[in-house]
Amino acid sequence: MKKCNLPVAVAAILSSLGSSYASADEFYKALSEGEVFGNFNLRYEAVEQDNALEDASAFTLRTRLGYKSGSLDGFSFTVEMEDNRIVLGEGDYASPPNGYNTGIYSVIADPEHTELDQGFIQYKNDNLTVKVGRQVITHDGHRFIGHVGWRQDRQTFDAATVVYAPNKDLKLTYSYIGKRNRIFGEDADLDAKDHLFHGSYKTEFGTLAVYSYLLEVDNDTDNALDTYGIRFAGKRKVDDFSIVYHLEYASQSNETAASDFNTDYLFAEIGAVFSGVTAKVGYEVLGSDDGMMGFQTPLATLHKFNGWADQFLGTPAQGLEDVTFTLTGAVAGGKWLAVYHDYSADEASATVDDLGSEINLQYLKTFNKHYKFGVKYAAYSGESGRVDTDKLWLWLNVGF
């Protein structure tokens, strides 16, 4: 019988226990070094449209509460819940994907809901970040990939994302999306098989970005929306003022079992910053394939582009040309913004040519870093069968 060396065995057990205690202590430290965060957004929205629908109004409170752990050997996790409730019974609006007041009131895309907003595990070192789970993904000002953060239920994705940044100038990103968690709660979420490729490089004149967004809805049908693009945007100081510029081009193929459309995207903007005021003029074209299909951006923060009245959340079959004039500045400790849009069809027809115009106005002010007040107004004047639309927002946002 083999003799047991008791002192050695005891030492091994104590060493193992010590290692376990050390690991447990490191895990506890990562948890205790984590942080709780939250955000409350109280908003009133009113919509008036020149059609048969009743005017809409919504007074809602969106709550987000989350926890982000500290790091353990580069690993961490984040969990965040989101809830939206109607306040004081002010819920006279429609949310069609949820079956709420459909066909009675104008649409306000803020349904009541409670859901997991984010929940992911992350690994990070000096050059590499890997994130797996429900997460926010954005690229290049949200024109193609965004979180739609303006709505009370923002857009997130069930995805795996890898970011490689070998230096401060170069960043390469890949994401695989298995589910799109959209702005109407779980009722409108979509299973997907999306591949997002994005690379950016910073130069002294601005940032150059190239991207490929290969989108597919996972619904057992043949469909593919593939977009390839290049973007350059920057800012240069010249004497007493600065010049801002942005140029972007993309091509898109939209394929199903029954159709195959090809469209192009173009955006050009030039502006100047002088004495605290920024003035810009922009020209954007979401092209059309012979008036049959327009260029689509289904994962964008669409409210940010082509007018806050949300008349072009889906590009018309005739495409869209949007000429914009923008002024921004500061007054009374806050920031103001004014935008004028002039819309027309990219492929005009006998009935669709002039698509109207719109004025957007906004004022934002921050108090004590945590409190933000905002007022915003959009007035759309419709043409080619589109109805006049007016929208007003007032909100108070508190974050910690």
Side-chain angles (χ1 to χ4, degrees):
M1 178 182 294
K2 187 175 180 179
K3 296 177 67 177
C4 177
N5 191 327
L6 186 59
V8 173
V10 170
I13 292 172
L14 291 176
S15 176
S16 176
L17 287 174
S19 177
S20 298
Y21 284 135
S23 298
D25 185 61
E26 290 175 358
F27 179 70
Y28 175 80
K29 183 179 179 182
L31 291 178
S32 63
E33 289 180 347
E35 60 179 4
V36 175
F37 59 91
N39 182 275
F40 303 91
N41 195 61
L42 182 67
R43 182 165 71 203
Y44 174 78
E45 180 172 347
V47 179
E48 295 181 5
Q49 292 186 287
D50 189 13
N51 57 19
L53 296 172
E54 294 187 36
D55 295 343
S57 62
F59 192 30
T60 57
L61 174 63
R62 195 274 328 284
T63 302
R64 291 196 192 116
L65 296 174
Y67 170 79
K68 179 180 179 181
S69 75
S71 178
L72 176 60
D73 296 328
F75 288 92
S76 64
F77 69 88
T78 296
V79 177
E80 183 180 27
M81 296 298 298
E82 180 181 76
D83 177 81
N84 187 54
R85 295 293 115 189
I86 293 171
V87 177
L88 300 177
E90 192 68 28
D92 294 338
Y93 64 96
S95 178
N98 312 92
Y100 181 70
N101 290 333
T102 302
I104 301 174
Y105 299 99
S106 292
V107 173
I108 295 178
D110 289 330
E112 289 190 307
H113 71 279
T114 302
E115 66 180 15
L116 177 69
D117 183 55
Q118 292 196 92
F120 61 83
I121 296 173
Q122 177 176 281
Y123 171 77
K124 186 174 184 179
N125 62 28
D126 291 340
N127 305 120
L128 181 69
T129 300
V130 180
K131 187 183 294 185
V132 178
R134 185 163 296 185
Q135 58 191 270
V136 170
I137 302 175
T138 67
H139 289 302
D140 296 334
H142 302 216
R143 189 58 188 98
F144 291 91
I145 310 297
H147 57 44
V148 200
W150 169 249
R151 300 308 337 168
Q152 299 286 52
D153 178 14
R154 70 176 169 183
Q155 177 171 261
T156 60
F157 304 100
D158 293 352
T161 296
V162 179
V163 180
Y164 178 63
N167 55 58
K168 64 181 181 64
D169 296 322
L170 179 64
K171 184 167 75 170
L172 305 174
T173 305
Y174 167 73
S175 297
Y176 175 78
I177 297 173
K179 189 174 184 180
R180 309 172 188 173
N181 305 297
R182 303 197 298 167
I183 64 173
F184 286 97
E186 296 179 356
D187 296 320
D189 293 348
L190 290 175
D191 291 332
K193 293 185 286 186
D194 301 331
H195 299 270
L196 312 181
F197 299 89
H198 186 275
S200 65
Y201 185 76
K202 295 180 181 179
T203 75
E204 61 176 308
F205 298 102
T207 299
L208 175 68
V210 294
Y211 51 84
S212 299
Y213 303 136
L214 314 179
L215 310 185
E216 180 181 352
V217 178
D218 188 9
N219 60 0
D220 297 322
T221 67
D222 292 332
N223 69 94
L225 185 68
D226 297 341
T227 304
Y228 302 88
I230 184 168
R231 175 184 193 267
F232 185 76
K235 180 178 181 179
R236 295 286 289 178
K237 187 171 179 59
V238 180
D239 296 328
D240 295 330
F241 66 96
S242 297
I243 298 174
V244 293
Y245 39 86
H246 178 180
L247 183 64
E248 186 165 2
Y249 171 79
S251 63
Q252 183 177 91
S253 63
N254 191 336
E255 299 180 18
T256 68
S259 64
D260 183 1
F261 298 103
N262 294 280
T263 53
D264 297 302
Y265 172 83
L266 174 67
F267 182 78
E269 184 179 64
I270 187 74
V273 183
F274 185 81
S275 298
V277 175
T278 301
K280 297 185 290 185
V281 58
Y283 176 66
E284 183 176 44
V285 180
L286 293 97
S288 172
D289 190 342
D290 293 328
M292 300 296 292
M293 174 64 70
F295 191 99
Q296 304 295 321
T297 59
L299 303 189
T301 299
L302 291 167
H303 178 80
K304 184 179 178 182
F305 306 92
N306 307 131
W308 300 335
D310 293 334
Q311 298 305 294
F312 301 100
L313 297 180
T315 308
Q318 298 80 12
L320 178 69
E321 293 185 4
D322 184 7
V323 178
T324 57
F325 301 92
T326 303
L327 288 173
T328 60
V331 66
K335 297 180 179 180
W336 60 267
L337 180 149
V339 186
Y340 174 78
H341 294 264
D342 184 71
Y343 309 111
S344 58
D346 177 55
E347 293 278 354
S349 67
T351 57
V352 178
D353 186 0
D354 183 356
L355 293 176
S357 61
E358 183 171 335
I359 295 174
N360 295 159
L361 302 171
Q362 178 178 269
Y363 181 74
L364 300 173
K365 188 167 184 176
T366 300
F367 302 88
N368 299 325
K369 296 183 180 180
H370 301 290
Y371 302 88
K372 298 178 181 178
F373 168 77
V375 57
K376 185 158 110 170
Y377 175 70
Y380 170 75
S381 299
E383 297 288 348
S384 297
R386 292 177 174 267
V387 300
D388 295 350
T389 301
D390 293 285
K391 295 189 178 185
L392 173 68
W393 300 268
L394 296 166
W395 71 94
L396 178 65
N397 186 283
V398 182
F400 65 90

